[in-house]
């Protein structure tokens, strides 16, 4: 038997994602270029040109159109894919809401980037935070391997739950850097992900006409939104199950990586049971934090599923600590970081916790070990204001 | 007729006598069951799909106000991938969704040369939100955002020439009709679908509250629009104007006969009427009516 080690390849993040999408065989791809998403859609266009993928690739004239095109294709029963960043995601916003409200299993990559003004093309999480309340499942990848694996998971979740899924990968840091990664093979995907064949009568087909996107009066609207909310919350159970199943089938043991104490697809926790401090973060900054932590008294909570927000799981872990520092690459202007506010909301029962909020890396500012060390030093206090580092 | 009831049923919430629904029924008579419709937000969508009811007997989707063209492109891509060459994709939108907010996406769809029939029900205003002016509102019409008044004759813009925009995209089939001639609409829909490729049909759809006409007048006003030369029955196949039904129905009536039927023009002074007569003459010359 070949060991997992043999399958590692050194790949650019965008290429790793594009290769994975190729194996996932979407029927329709539509996208519009924006840095740092571009490599992903260029590589897929070349696959199409070379006959390596058997899909329709619709070149759209804007992100708004691209999102609408995958919406239409999904409503007609096709597996679809799109990718964007920053201004592109903002331009899509109206369609993003619509896709979730129509319960379409669209999968999209967001190569996370700051938003304008001032214009800046580098990484932070301002783009995805603008659409966090739209009803999508939002996954965050910390490295290349997670990025590719989360795309496989995304299709399984989307098609099982009729919910759209966005995989967030840090622009440049993941999309343009090289790391060794295993591309999920076609055979693994076939075993894990059934072909997408929605039931007749649930999608646009002349053999069983349906009306999609009807007009809801006050008599019906609230229930529709409440159902979406409840289904999104309930999807946590499915995310955990599917994550576990995928881990089992892919039988992947990451060599040399510290083993998390908790690892369930929603969150990962590294560290002792009763730490002095827990650092919480999303995305690729996790790697820098992991490299920095030397003390045995410090834990690290990595959030992989940001929506639905795994508030209960997070509260359970954080309650065991004295101090919590939430490190994030976004700010809700005029308030605190969005992740911080979400965590505060989840911690209603524990008021004794010292919880502080640290904003880092906006617009691609380097997040160094020195910054993380500074955060660790300053984190034993309650802060009512977000502190900016770097 | 059986198919009429099957594709669009009575019992929807449109105004009794609505010109847009007269036109829609005529469009439906031109379609067959292997059709998928992408509909923009507007009167047609709102009045026909009040959940849990629907007047549609064809697979039908509404997403947003401005994206019906792109949604249709996605549907077509899904059909192409399945190898389904039988099912036709049809877009339905108002003039607001077509001339204004959805304009860029229509151009994108036409650029891609996709085999989609786009139908614009032209009420010459945003009917659904209360008759605000659109890029299609004609000169002199009073709307809620181009009201007539002591210092205003209503809309001072000329109606945008969407047919010319469609022709500039080299569509296979471009046509214009009105709710005054339902059979002409049906024939044009059939013809557009028979010629594979992108096509555009624009149908003047008199709106009773918008045009301030009575609910038995939509068809009559639709006929007058043609007979005065203001909204001729036109048809272009591969960019060439064909004469089909134009000559029979054009009677060179004075535009006043059309304008005076409608409250939206009742404030117009003779100079404005003269200007509108000039617009009709321009049409007559240009299309050799
Ligand atoms: C982005 C956006 N802007 C505005 C609206 C409000 N709106 C809904 S329908 C409509 C007007 C529709 O006019 P038209 O396309 O001419 O169709 P009609 O109702 O006249 O048939 C407007 C302005 C909307 N739904 N979405």
């Amino acid at each position: 038997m070949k060991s997992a080690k043999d399958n590692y390849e050194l790949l650019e993040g965008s290429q790793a994602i594009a290769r994975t999408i190729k194996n996932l065989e979407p029927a329709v791809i539509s996208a519009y270029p924006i840095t740092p998403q571009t490599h992903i859609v260029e590589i897929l266009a070349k696959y199409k040109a070379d006959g390596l993928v058997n899909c329709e690739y619709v070149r759209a004239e804007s992100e708004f159109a691209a999102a609408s095109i995958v919406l239409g294709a999904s409503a007609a029963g096709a597996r679809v894919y799109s990718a964007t960043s920053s201004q592109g995601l903002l331009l899509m916003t109206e369609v993003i809401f619509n896709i979730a409200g129509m319960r379409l299993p669209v999968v999209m990559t967001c190569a996370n980037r700051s938003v304008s003004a001032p214009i800046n093309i580098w990484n932070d999480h301002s783009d995805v935070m603008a659409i966090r309340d739209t009803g999508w499942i939002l996954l965050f990848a910390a490295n290349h391997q997670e990025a590719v694996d989360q795309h496989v998971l995304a299709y399984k979740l989307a098609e099982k739950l009729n919910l759209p899924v966005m995989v967030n990968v840090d622009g440049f840091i993941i999309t343009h850097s090289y790391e060794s990664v295993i591309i999920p093979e076609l055979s693994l995907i076939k075993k894990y992900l059934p072909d997408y064949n929605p039931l007749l009568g649930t999608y646009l087909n002349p053999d069983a006409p349906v009306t999609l996107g009807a007009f809801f009066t006050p008599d019906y609207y609230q229930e529709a939104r409440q159902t979406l909310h409840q289904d999104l919350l309930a999807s946590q159970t499915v995310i955990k199950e599917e994550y576990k199943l995928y881990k089992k089938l892919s039988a992947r043991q990451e060599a040399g990586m510290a083993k998390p104490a908790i690892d369930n697809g929603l969150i990962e926790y590294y560290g002792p049971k009763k730490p002095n401090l827990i650092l919480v973060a999303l995305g690729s900054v996790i790697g820098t934090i992991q490299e920095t932590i030397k003390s045995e008294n410090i834990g690290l909570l990595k959030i992989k599923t940001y929506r639905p927000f795994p508030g209960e799981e997070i509260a359970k872990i954080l309650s065991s600590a004295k101090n919590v520092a939430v490190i994030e690459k976004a700010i809700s202007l005029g308030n605190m970081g969005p992740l911080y506010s979400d965590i505060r909301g989840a911690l209603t029962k524990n008021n004794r916790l010292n919880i502080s909020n640290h904003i880092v890396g906006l617009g691609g500012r380097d997040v160094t070990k020195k910054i993380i060390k500074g955060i660790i030093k300053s984190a034993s206090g309650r802060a009512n204001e977000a502190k900016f580092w770097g | 007729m059986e198919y009429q009831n099957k594709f669009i049923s009575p019992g929807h919430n449109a105004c009794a006598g609505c010109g847009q629904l007269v036109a829609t029924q005529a469009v439906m008579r031109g379609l067959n069951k292997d059709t998928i419709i992408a509909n923009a937000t507007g009167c047609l969508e709102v009045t026909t799909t009040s959940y849990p009811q629907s007047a549609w007997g064809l697979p039908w989707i509404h997403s947003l106000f401005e994206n019906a063209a792109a949604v249709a492109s996605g549907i077509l891509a899904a059909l192409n991938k399945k190898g389904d060459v039988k099912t036709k994709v049809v877009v339905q939108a108002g003039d607001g969704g077509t001339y204004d907010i959805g304009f860029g996406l229509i151009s994108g769809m036409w650029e891609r040369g996709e085999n989609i029939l786009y139908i614009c029900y032209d009420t010459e205003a945003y009917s659904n939100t209360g008759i605000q002016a659109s890029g299609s509102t004609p000169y002199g019409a009073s709307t809620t955002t181009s009201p007539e008044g002591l210092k205003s004759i209503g809309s001072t813009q000329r109606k945008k020439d969407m047919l010319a925009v469609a022709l500039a995209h080299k569509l296979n089939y471009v046509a214009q009709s009105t709710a005054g001639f339902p059979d002409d609409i049906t024939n044009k829909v059939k013809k557009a679908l028979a010629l594979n490729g992108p096509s555009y049909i624009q149908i003047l759809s008199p709106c009773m509250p918008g045009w301030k006409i009575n609910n038995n007048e939509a068809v009559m006003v639709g006929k007058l629009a043609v007979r005065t030369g203001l909204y001729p029955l036109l048809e272009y196949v591969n960019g060439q104007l064909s004469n089909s039904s134009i000559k029979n129905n054009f009677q060179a009536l004075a535009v006043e006969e059309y304008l005076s039927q409608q409250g939206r023009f009742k404030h117009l002074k003779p100079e404005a009427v003269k200007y509108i007569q000039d617009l009709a003459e321009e049409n007559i010359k240009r299309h050799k009516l």
Side-chain angles (χ1 to χ4, degrees):
Chain A
M1 210 178 102
K2 254 180 25 174
S3 88
K5 245 167 104 185
D6 301 330
N7 298 331
Y8 276 108
E9 291 175 81
L10 188 64
L11 292 176
E12 191 204 42
S14 297
Q15 176 151 39
I17 291 167
R19 289 253 307 262
T20 306
I21 295 303
K22 172 172 159 275
N23 288 349
L24 286 160
E25 299 179 331
V28 176
I29 296 175
S30 186
Y32 186 86
I34 181 167
T35 305
Q37 152 265 35
T38 37
H39 288 185
I40 301 172
V41 299
E42 287 167 1
I43 295 166
L44 288 168
K46 183 72 172 130
Y47 287 160
K48 169 75 181 167
D50 292 341
L52 296 172
V53 287
N54 176 23
C55 69
E56 296 294 315
Y57 188 109
V58 187
R59 191 163 56 77
E61 74 285 359
S62 72
E63 287 89 352
F64 189 86
S68 302
I69 288 166
V70 294
L71 181 155
S74 182
R79 178 176 291 170
V80 299
Y81 177 73
S82 189
T84 192
S85 295
S86 178
Q87 308 308 123
L89 184 64
L90 298 189
L91 188 59
M92 282 183 183
T93 306
E94 197 189 2
V95 190
I96 293 289
F97 272 92
N98 205 245
I99 287 170
M102 293 183 80
R103 303 296 302 258
L104 295 171
V106 171
V107 171
M108 200 159 95
T109 309
C110 183
N112 301 111
R113 163 181 152 181
S114 64
V115 298
S116 197
I119 189 167
N120 166 291
I121 59 166
W122 291 273
N123 167 245
D124 69 33
H125 292 160
S126 308
D127 53 8
V128 57
M129 289 304 163
I131 60 95
R132 70 190 163 137
D133 299 327
T134 55
W136 284 57
I137 293 178
L138 302 176
L139 306 178
F140 277 77
N143 53 47
H144 290 41
Q145 192 63 60
E146 278 182 16
V148 302
D149 290 338
Q150 285 184 357
H151 281 89
V152 183
L153 181 66
Y155 278 100
K156 186 72 176 282
L157 296 174
E159 289 166 10
K160 198 164 177 178
L161 297 162
N162 284 316
L163 288 169
V165 185
M166 181 177 297
V167 180
N168 289 277
V169 298
D170 282 321
F172 292 109
I173 300 170
I174 288 183
T175 55
H176 287 57
S177 72
Y178 283 71
E179 239 178 42
S180 67
V181 55
I182 299 176
I183 300 300
E185 285 170 24
L186 211 55
S187 57
L188 166 64
I189 288 172
K190 289 271 174 249
K191 229 187 287 170
Y192 179 67
L193 179 71
D195 289 345
Y196 182 52
N197 291 313
L199 280 179
L200 195 65
T202 63
Y203 66 101
L204 299 169
N205 185 322
D207 292 338
V210 285
T211 293
L212 303 180
F215 183 71
F216 277 47
T217 59
D219 289 340
Y220 298 98
Y221 181 84
Q222 186 162 307
E223 280 72 16
R225 300 304 282 177
Q226 191 182 348
T227 305
L228 174 56
H229 169 64
Q230 281 162 350
D231 288 356
L232 198 58
L233 281 179
S235 74
Q236 290 180 71
T237 316
V238 181
I239 296 172
K240 282 163 121 176
E241 282 166 13
E242 287 301 335
Y243 178 77
K244 202 165 148 191
L245 177 64
Y246 181 71
K247 253 180 85 161
K248 197 173 132 206
L249 291 179
S250 63
R252 201 169 295 138
Q253 253 330 298
E254 262 117 292
M257 298 275 257
K259 261 194 106 134
I262 297 173
D263 173 15
N264 61 17
L266 301 173
I267 54 166
E268 277 175 34
Y269 177 69
Y270 299 83
K273 283 222 168 71
K274 288 196 177 304
N276 177 47
L277 168 68
I278 296 178
L279 304 177
V280 191
L282 293 163
S284 67
V285 74
I286 292 287
T288 314
I289 299 174
Q290 248 164 349
E291 290 275 305
T292 313
I293 296 177
K294 291 286 178 270
S295 161
E296 306 225 311
N297 236 333
I298 301 178
L300 167 62
L301 178 62
K302 159 166 144 189
I303 297 177
K304 291 168 93 171
T305 303
Y306 178 60
R307 283 291 182 279
F309 190 66
E312 241 174 81
E313 309 245 350
I314 290 170
K316 208 155 78 192
I317 291 167
L318 297 187
S319 302
S320 64
K322 284 204 190 73
N323 305 293
V324 171
V326 180
I327 303 174
E328 56 186 316
K329 291 184 176 179
I331 177 79
S332 165
L333 298 172
N335 191 18
M336 306 285 283
L339 178 59
Y340 172 89
S341 299
D342 288 332
I343 288 175
R344 273 319 276 245
L347 285 172
T348 45
K349 285 189 210 125
N350 191 332
N351 285 321
R352 293 210 319 273
L353 204 60
N354 290 319
I355 167 162
S356 56
N357 190 198
H358 309 270
I359 310 300
V360 299
L362 295 192
R365 179 73 53 89
D366 261 353
V367 186
T368 60
K369 282 189 186 175
K370 200 169 145 205
I371 289 176
I372 304 297
K373 278 181 198 156
I375 292 172
I376 291 173
K377 260 200 208 128
S378 76
S380 59
R382 209 179 259 243
N384 292 320
E385 247 181 69
K387 183 163 182 199
F388 286 71
W389 295 81
Chain B
M1 271 175 278
E2 190 215 4
Y3 43 75
Q4 191 174 340
N5 290 342
K6 220 159 53 180
F7 297 165
I8 175 103
S9 308
H12 50 70
N13 304 323
C15 306
C18 169
Q20 183 165 183
L21 263 295
V22 170
T24 307
Q25 284 163 12
V27 168
M28 292 304 129
R29 289 195 288 273
L31 303 177
N32 71 40
K33 85 164 242 312
D34 294 312
T35 306
I36 296 176
I37 295 178
N39 211 120
T41 310
C43 270
L44 186 57
E45 162 262 332
V46 168
T47 57
T48 56
T49 67
S50 189
Y51 181 85
Q53 294 176 320
S54 168
W56 299 99
L58 290 169
W60 184 99
I61 183 172
H62 158 255
S63 166
L64 297 167
F65 185 17
E66 64 276 42
N67 71 351
V71 170
S73 294
I75 294 166
L76 185 70
L79 295 173
N80 287 344
K81 167 70 175 138
K82 283 184 217 164
D84 177 345
V85 289
K86 197 170 61 169
T87 302
K88 303 283 186 188
V89 182
V90 175
V91 178
Q92 301 191 108
D95 49 288
T98 305
Y99 284 65
D100 296 348
I101 200 165
F103 192 67
L105 284 89
I106 296 167
S107 181
M109 174 185 72
W110 284 343
E111 254 178 60
R112 289 186 291 268
E114 292 159 337
N115 185 12
I116 295 170
L117 167 59
Y118 189 105
I119 296 188
C120 170
Y121 295 104
D122 184 6
T123 63
E124 300 193 319
Y126 300 159
S127 298
N128 185 51
T129 39
I131 336 293
Q132 295 84 15
S134 80
S136 163
T137 300
Y139 179 83
S142 183
T143 72
T144 53
T145 53
S146 66
E148 56 88 17
L150 271 183
K151 298 191 166 177
S152 166
I153 64 142
S155 174
T156 53
Q157 290 176 218
R158 273 185 67 168
K159 190 180 170 79
K160 179 154 72 192
D161 190 349
M162 253 323 271
L163 259 57
V165 173
L167 288 167
H169 286 80
K170 311 276 182 250
L171 303 199
N172 293 17
Y173 187 83
V174 175
Q176 178 168 279
S177 191
T178 85
F181 297 92
D183 287 348
D184 180 64
I185 297 173
T186 305
N187 289 339
K188 283 175 173 161
V189 168
K190 285 184 178 160
K191 199 157 170 187
L193 291 175
L195 291 166
N196 273 334
S199 46
Y200 177 71
I201 302 178
Q202 179 175 301
I203 307 167
L204 186 73
S205 306
C207 166
M208 280 122 32
W211 297 16
K212 303 194 172 52
I213 55 175
N214 294 317
N215 60 4
N216 59 352
E217 291 176 347
V219 168
M220 180 265 286
V221 171
K223 282 187 162 52
L224 285 174
V226 175
R227 291 178 175 155
T228 52
L230 280 172
Y231 215 101
L233 304 177
L234 298 175
E235 182 180 70
Y236 296 83
V237 178
N238 295 320
Q240 295 305 309
L241 182 63
S242 77
N243 279 335
S244 55
S245 55
I246 300 168
K247 294 252 164 25
N248 300 343
N249 289 302
F250 174 62
Q251 297 174 347
L253 297 181
V255 295
E256 193 146 17
E257 304 231 8
Y258 172 69
L259 302 177
S260 63
Q261 300 290 336
Q262 306 173 50
R264 63 176 174 155
F265 294 119
K266 75 168 190 305
H267 57 282
L268 292 183
K269 302 247 158 58
E271 328 70 276
V273 174
K274 163 87 180 45
Y275 176 72
I276 296 169
Q277 184 64 52
D278 289 347
L279 294 179
E281 306 294 337
E282 209 179 296
N283 276 340
I284 293 163
K285 242 207 238 136
R286 188 166 147 209
H287 305 300
K288 305 183 186 66
L289 300 180

